[in-house]
Amino acid sequence: MTVESPKEAPVKFPSPLVRELRGARHVAVLTGAGISAESGIPTFRDAMTGLWAKFRPEDLATPEAFRRDPRRVWEWYEWRRELVARARPNPGHLALVELARRVPRMDLFTQNVDGLHQRAGSRDVLELHGNITRDRCFDNDHPADPGSRSEETPPRCRRCGSFMRPDVVWFGERLPERELEAAWESAARCDLFLSVGTSGAVQPVASLVDLARHGGATVVIVNPDASVFSARDRIVLQGPSGRILPALLAETWPERRSSP
Ligand code: APR
Protein backbone atom coordinates (compact mmCIF):
# COMPACT_ATOMS: atom_id res chain seq x y z
CA MET A 1 0.00 0.00 0.00
CA THR A 2 1.34 3.46 -0.84
CA VAL A 3 0.17 6.52 1.07
CA GLU A 4 0.93 9.68 -0.90
CA SER A 5 1.17 13.02 0.84
CA PRO A 6 0.89 15.96 -1.53
CA LYS A 7 2.98 18.90 -0.40
CA GLU A 8 1.37 21.19 2.19
CA ALA A 9 -1.73 18.95 2.56
CA PRO A 10 -2.08 17.38 6.03
CA VAL A 11 -0.78 13.81 5.97
CA LYS A 12 -3.40 11.14 6.62
CA PHE A 13 -2.34 7.66 7.69
CA PRO A 14 -4.30 4.41 7.45
CA SER A 15 -5.93 3.72 10.83
CA PRO A 16 -4.66 0.10 11.05
CA LEU A 17 -1.10 1.47 10.87
CA VAL A 18 -1.78 4.04 13.57
CA ARG A 19 -3.29 1.30 15.80
CA GLU A 20 -0.35 -1.03 15.19
CA LEU A 21 2.21 1.62 15.98
CA ARG A 22 0.39 2.59 19.13
CA GLY A 23 0.25 -1.01 20.27
CA ALA A 24 3.75 -1.98 19.11
CA ARG A 25 6.03 -3.45 21.77
CA HIS A 26 9.20 -3.59 19.70
CA VAL A 27 9.94 -1.21 16.83
CA ALA A 28 13.11 -1.54 14.73
CA VAL A 29 14.15 1.52 12.74
CA LEU A 30 16.68 1.57 9.90
CA THR A 31 17.76 4.94 8.55
CA GLY A 32 19.80 5.98 5.53
CA ALA A 33 21.07 9.12 3.88
CA GLY A 34 17.54 10.42 3.19
CA ILE A 35 16.82 11.22 6.83
CA SER A 36 19.70 13.72 6.83
CA ALA A 37 18.80 15.25 3.45
CA GLU A 38 16.64 17.91 5.15
CA SER A 39 19.62 18.81 7.35
CA GLY A 40 21.47 19.75 4.19
CA ILE A 41 23.81 16.78 4.14
CA PRO A 42 24.10 15.57 0.57
CA THR A 43 23.51 11.87 0.00
CA PHE A 44 26.62 9.96 -0.88
CA ARG A 45 26.21 10.41 -4.61
CA ASP A 46 25.13 14.03 -4.37
CA ALA A 47 28.34 14.68 -2.43
CA MET A 48 30.32 14.30 -5.66
CA THR A 49 29.93 17.95 -6.57
CA GLY A 50 32.22 20.94 -7.05
CA LEU A 51 35.84 19.96 -6.65
CA TRP A 52 34.86 16.34 -6.32
CA ALA A 53 32.60 16.05 -9.37
CA LYS A 54 35.23 14.27 -11.40
CA PHE A 55 35.44 11.34 -8.98
CA ARG A 56 33.09 8.45 -8.32
CA PRO A 57 32.46 7.46 -4.67
CA GLU A 58 34.13 4.14 -5.49
CA ASP A 59 37.31 6.10 -6.34
CA LEU A 60 37.43 7.71 -2.90
CA ALA A 61 35.69 5.42 -0.45
CA THR A 62 37.75 2.25 -0.74
CA PRO A 63 40.90 0.96 0.97
CA GLU A 64 42.56 0.78 -2.47
CA ALA A 65 41.82 4.46 -3.13
CA PHE A 66 43.33 5.36 0.22
CA ARG A 67 46.46 3.31 -0.46
CA ARG A 68 46.79 4.98 -3.87
CA ASP A 69 46.27 8.54 -2.70
CA PRO A 70 45.75 8.92 1.07
CA ARG A 71 45.90 12.72 0.92
CA ARG A 72 43.07 12.99 -1.64
CA VAL A 73 40.79 10.63 0.28
CA TRP A 74 41.56 12.37 3.57
CA GLU A 75 40.77 15.79 2.06
CA TRP A 76 37.45 14.58 0.68
CA TYR A 77 36.50 13.38 4.14
CA GLU A 78 37.66 16.65 5.71
CA TRP A 79 35.29 18.46 3.34
CA ARG A 80 32.42 16.14 4.27
CA ARG A 81 33.23 16.53 7.97
CA GLU A 82 32.82 20.28 7.64
CA LEU A 83 29.35 19.81 6.09
CA VAL A 84 28.38 17.51 8.94
CA ALA A 85 29.70 19.91 11.59
CA ARG A 86 27.57 22.73 10.16
CA ALA A 87 24.40 20.60 9.88
CA ARG A 88 21.68 20.38 12.53
CA PRO A 89 19.28 17.50 13.25
CA ASN A 90 15.90 17.96 11.55
CA PRO A 91 12.32 17.08 12.63
CA GLY A 92 12.78 13.53 11.28
CA HIS A 93 15.68 12.86 13.68
CA LEU A 94 13.74 14.46 16.53
CA ALA A 95 10.62 12.38 15.84
CA LEU A 96 12.68 9.20 16.31
CA VAL A 97 13.89 10.47 19.70
CA GLU A 98 10.26 10.83 20.70
CA LEU A 99 9.23 7.47 19.22
CA ALA A 100 11.80 5.77 21.47
CA ARG A 101 10.03 7.29 24.47
CA ARG A 102 6.59 6.14 23.28
CA VAL A 103 7.19 2.42 22.66
CA PRO A 104 8.50 -0.19 25.13
CA ARG A 105 11.48 -1.06 22.91
CA MET A 106 12.94 0.74 19.93
CA ASP A 107 16.21 -0.18 18.21
CA LEU A 108 17.76 2.38 15.89
CA PHE A 109 20.17 1.31 13.16
CA THR A 110 21.69 3.76 10.77
CA GLN A 111 23.76 3.58 7.63
CA ASN A 112 24.63 7.24 8.14
CA VAL A 113 28.01 8.30 9.42
CA ASP A 114 27.01 11.85 10.36
CA GLY A 115 26.12 11.35 14.04
CA LEU A 116 22.94 13.47 13.71
CA HIS A 117 20.76 10.90 15.50
CA GLN A 118 22.97 11.20 18.57
CA ARG A 119 23.04 14.99 18.31
CA ALA A 120 19.22 14.95 18.19
CA GLY A 121 19.21 12.97 21.45
CA SER A 122 18.87 9.33 20.33
CA ARG A 123 20.71 6.90 22.59
CA ASP A 124 22.32 3.55 21.77
CA VAL A 125 22.38 4.23 18.02
CA LEU A 126 23.85 1.27 16.17
CA GLU A 127 26.08 2.66 13.44
CA LEU A 128 26.37 0.12 10.66
CA HIS A 129 28.79 2.20 8.58
CA GLY A 130 30.81 3.87 11.34
CA ASN A 131 31.08 7.56 12.13
CA ILE A 132 32.81 10.24 10.10
CA THR A 133 33.73 12.30 13.14
CA ARG A 134 36.04 9.56 14.46
CA ASP A 135 39.43 8.44 13.13
CA ARG A 136 41.29 5.16 13.44
CA CYS A 137 44.57 4.08 11.95
CA PHE A 138 44.75 2.32 8.62
CA ASP A 139 47.06 -0.55 9.58
CA ASN A 140 45.87 -1.52 13.06
CA ASP A 141 42.57 0.26 13.77
CA HIS A 142 44.13 2.14 16.69
CA PRO A 143 41.71 4.88 17.76
CA ALA A 144 42.87 8.49 17.51
CA ASP A 145 44.05 10.37 20.58
CA PRO A 146 41.34 12.96 21.01
CA GLY A 147 42.39 16.44 19.99
CA SER A 148 45.97 15.66 19.04
CA ARG A 149 46.28 14.99 15.34
CA SER A 150 49.80 15.10 13.96
CA GLU A 151 50.56 17.86 11.44
CA GLU A 152 50.77 15.70 8.32
CA THR A 153 47.93 15.06 5.85
CA PRO A 154 46.64 12.51 6.67
CA PRO A 155 47.89 12.56 10.22
CA ARG A 156 49.89 9.61 11.53
CA CYS A 157 48.94 7.17 14.27
CA ARG A 158 50.82 7.99 17.47
CA ARG A 159 51.15 4.31 18.32
CA CYS A 160 52.22 2.63 15.08
CA GLY A 161 52.95 5.46 12.64
CA SER A 162 50.45 4.36 9.96
CA PHE A 163 48.08 6.88 8.41
CA MET A 164 44.86 7.76 10.19
CA ARG A 165 41.62 7.26 8.24
CA PRO A 166 37.98 8.07 8.97
CA ASP A 167 36.28 5.42 11.11
CA VAL A 168 33.74 4.53 8.42
CA VAL A 169 33.00 1.41 6.42
CA TRP A 170 34.32 1.70 2.87
CA PHE A 171 33.17 -0.24 -0.20
CA GLY A 172 34.47 -3.78 0.04
CA GLU A 173 34.91 -3.64 3.84
CA ARG A 174 33.00 -5.67 6.38
CA LEU A 175 30.30 -4.12 8.51
CA PRO A 176 30.95 -4.15 12.26
CA GLU A 177 29.90 -7.54 13.58
CA ARG A 178 28.25 -6.52 16.83
CA GLU A 179 26.04 -3.92 15.15
CA LEU A 180 25.12 -6.19 12.26
CA GLU A 181 24.16 -9.05 14.55
CA ALA A 182 22.04 -6.74 16.66
CA ALA A 183 20.30 -5.54 13.49
CA TRP A 184 19.49 -9.10 12.33
CA GLU A 185 18.14 -9.98 15.74
CA SER A 186 16.06 -6.86 15.96
CA ALA A 187 14.60 -7.17 12.44
CA ALA A 188 13.69 -10.81 12.99
CA ARG A 189 11.90 -10.16 16.31
CA CYS A 190 10.33 -6.73 16.01
CA ASP A 191 6.63 -6.26 15.42
CA LEU A 192 7.05 -3.10 13.36
CA PHE A 193 9.99 -2.30 11.08
CA LEU A 194 10.42 1.27 9.90
CA SER A 195 12.80 1.98 7.04
CA VAL A 196 13.51 5.68 6.60
CA GLY A 197 15.39 7.42 3.80
CA THR A 198 17.29 4.51 2.39
CA SER A 199 17.35 3.31 -1.19
CA GLY A 200 17.70 -0.26 0.02
CA ALA A 201 20.38 -0.72 -2.60
CA VAL A 202 23.26 -1.65 -0.34
CA GLN A 203 23.59 -5.17 1.04
CA PRO A 204 23.55 -6.76 3.52
CA VAL A 205 21.49 -4.05 5.16
CA ALA A 206 18.81 -4.10 2.45
CA SER A 207 17.90 -7.66 3.42
CA LEU A 208 16.79 -6.49 6.86
CA VAL A 209 13.49 -5.39 5.37
CA ASP A 210 12.83 -8.90 4.02
CA LEU A 211 13.92 -10.49 7.27
CA ALA A 212 11.44 -8.34 9.19
CA ARG A 213 8.64 -9.18 6.77
CA HIS A 214 9.32 -12.92 6.99
CA GLY A 215 9.36 -12.62 10.77
CA GLY A 216 5.81 -11.27 10.62
CA ALA A 217 6.52 -7.60 11.29
CA THR A 218 4.58 -4.80 9.67
CA VAL A 219 7.04 -3.09 7.32
CA VAL A 220 6.73 0.66 6.85
CA ILE A 221 8.84 2.57 4.33
CA VAL A 222 9.28 6.35 4.47
CA ASN A 223 10.73 7.78 1.26
CA PRO A 224 9.73 10.53 -1.21
CA ASP A 225 10.57 8.12 -3.99
CA ALA A 226 8.02 5.32 -3.78
CA SER A 227 9.63 3.44 -6.66
CA VAL A 228 12.59 2.25 -4.59
CA PHE A 229 10.47 -0.40 -2.89
CA SER A 230 7.62 -2.46 -4.18
CA ALA A 231 4.51 -1.72 -2.18
CA ARG A 232 3.73 -5.43 -1.89
CA ASP A 233 3.47 -6.46 1.76
CA ARG A 234 4.69 -3.05 2.90
CA ILE A 235 3.19 0.27 3.73
CA VAL A 236 4.95 3.01 1.81
CA LEU A 237 4.57 6.49 3.29
CA GLN A 238 5.62 8.68 0.40
CA GLY A 239 7.25 11.96 1.39
CA PRO A 240 10.21 13.50 3.19
CA SER A 241 10.88 12.02 6.63
CA GLY A 242 11.06 15.47 8.26
CA ARG A 243 7.39 15.83 7.44
CA ILE A 244 6.08 12.25 7.54
CA LEU A 245 7.56 11.13 10.87
CA PRO A 246 6.34 14.05 13.04
CA ALA A 247 2.89 13.75 11.41
CA LEU A 248 2.78 10.00 12.08
CA LEU A 249 3.62 10.55 15.75
CA ALA A 250 1.06 13.32 16.08
CA GLU A 251 -1.66 11.10 14.69
CA THR A 252 -0.64 8.04 16.72
CA TRP A 253 -0.35 9.85 20.04
CA PRO A 254 -2.68 12.87 19.68
CA GLU A 255 -2.77 13.35 23.46
CA ARG A 256 0.96 14.19 23.50
CA ARG A 257 0.22 17.78 22.46
CA SER A 258 -1.57 18.45 25.71
CA SER A 259 0.90 16.54 27.91
CA PRO A 260 3.45 18.68 29.72
N1 APR B 1 13.27 11.89 3.45
C1 APR B 1 13.35 10.55 3.30
N2 APR B 1 14.04 9.95 2.31
C2 APR B 1 14.68 10.73 1.43
C3 APR B 1 14.66 12.15 1.52
C4 APR B 1 13.90 12.73 2.58
N3 APR B 1 13.81 14.05 2.75
N4 APR B 1 15.40 12.66 0.50
C5 APR B 1 15.88 11.61 -0.19
N5 APR B 1 15.44 10.43 0.36
C6 APR B 1 15.71 9.05 -0.08
C7 APR B 1 16.02 8.90 -1.54
O1 APR B 1 14.83 8.77 -2.31
C8 APR B 1 16.84 7.60 -1.53
O2 APR B 1 16.00 6.46 -1.70
O3 APR B 1 16.86 8.62 0.60
C9 APR B 1 17.45 7.55 -0.14
C10 APR B 1 18.96 7.75 -0.10
O4 APR B 1 19.57 6.68 -0.76
P1 APR B 1 21.15 6.47 -0.80
O5 APR B 1 21.83 7.73 -1.21
O6 APR B 1 21.42 5.23 -1.59
O7 APR B 1 21.52 6.26 0.74
P2 APR B 1 21.52 4.96 1.61
O8 APR B 1 20.39 4.06 1.28
O9 APR B 1 21.72 5.42 3.00
O10 APR B 1 22.85 4.28 1.08
C11 APR B 1 23.47 3.34 1.87
O11 APR B 1 25.39 3.34 0.42
O12 APR B 1 26.40 4.89 -0.84
C12 APR B 1 26.58 4.04 0.25
O13 APR B 1 27.82 4.11 2.26
C13 APR B 1 26.84 4.80 1.52
O14 APR B 1 25.71 4.72 3.66
C14 APR B 1 25.53 4.76 2.26
C15 APR B 1 24.94 3.46 1.75
Side-chain angles (χ1 to χ4, degrees), residues 100-114:
R101 289 196 205 112
R102 298 271 162 194
V103 292
R105 174 173 170 190
M106 184 184 115
D107 302 324
L108 176 55
F109 303 95
T110 188
Q111 298 169 93
N112 297 346
V113 297
D114 56 35

Side-chain angles (χ1 to χ4, degrees), residues 32-34 37-38 43-44 111 129 197-200 202 222-225 228 240-241:
E38 290 154 272
T43 60
F44 206 66
Q111 298 169 93
H129 290 172
T198 172
S199 58
V202 179
V222 179
N223 201 308
D225 177 4
V228 293
S241 44

Side-chain angles (χ1 to χ4, degrees), residues 75-233:
E75 284 175 346
W76 185 55
Y77 275 94
E78 284 294 90
W79 174 76
R80 292 182 60 206
R81 281 170 165 149
E82 276 170 34
L83 292 178
V84 165
R86 280 201 300 269
R88 298 280 169 270
N90 68 57
H93 296 106
L94 296 171
L96 293 180
V97 179
E98 184 178 343
L99 181 58
R101 289 196 205 112
R102 298 271 162 194
V103 292
R105 174 173 170 190
M106 184 184 115
D107 302 324
L108 176 55
F109 303 95
T110 188
Q111 298 169 93
N112 297 346
V113 297
D114 56 35
L116 284 180
H117 285 302
Q118 292 91 329
R119 282 169 58 196
S122 286
R123 298 209 199 120
D124 304 322
V125 180
L126 286 140
E127 295 177 315
L128 297 164
H129 290 172
N131 189 308
I132 200 173
T133 62
R134 289 191 305 259
D135 300 334
R136 63 182 151 96
C137 82
F138 189 72
D139 287 352
N140 296 303
D141 293 336
H142 292 139
D145 290 334
S148 68
R149 278 180 177 176
S150 73
E151 288 300 306
E152 297 129 286
T153 307
R156 296 264 182 189
C157 175
R158 302 251 183 232
R159 279 168 71 188
C160 68
S162 81
F163 284 131
M164 298 306 288
R165 55 163 283 181
D167 188 9
V168 298
V169 176
W170 281 335
F171 289 103
E173 292 188 316
R174 292 162 70 95
L175 269 63
E177 227 157 84
R178 180 183 76 88
E179 283 79 356
L180 197 55
E181 258 172 40
W184 290 133
E185 195 263 350
S186 182
R189 290 167 187 251
C190 66
D191 37 35
L192 195 141
F193 187 93
L194 187 59
S195 162
V196 185
T198 172
S199 58
V202 179
Q203 290 294 358
V205 167
S207 312
L208 289 173
V209 173
D210 292 326
L211 187 64
R213 192 164 55 85
H214 290 306
T218 301
V219 174
V220 182
I221 309 287
V222 179
N223 201 308
D225 177 4
S227 70
V228 293
F229 287 93
S230 90
R232 194 172 59 90
D233 302 329

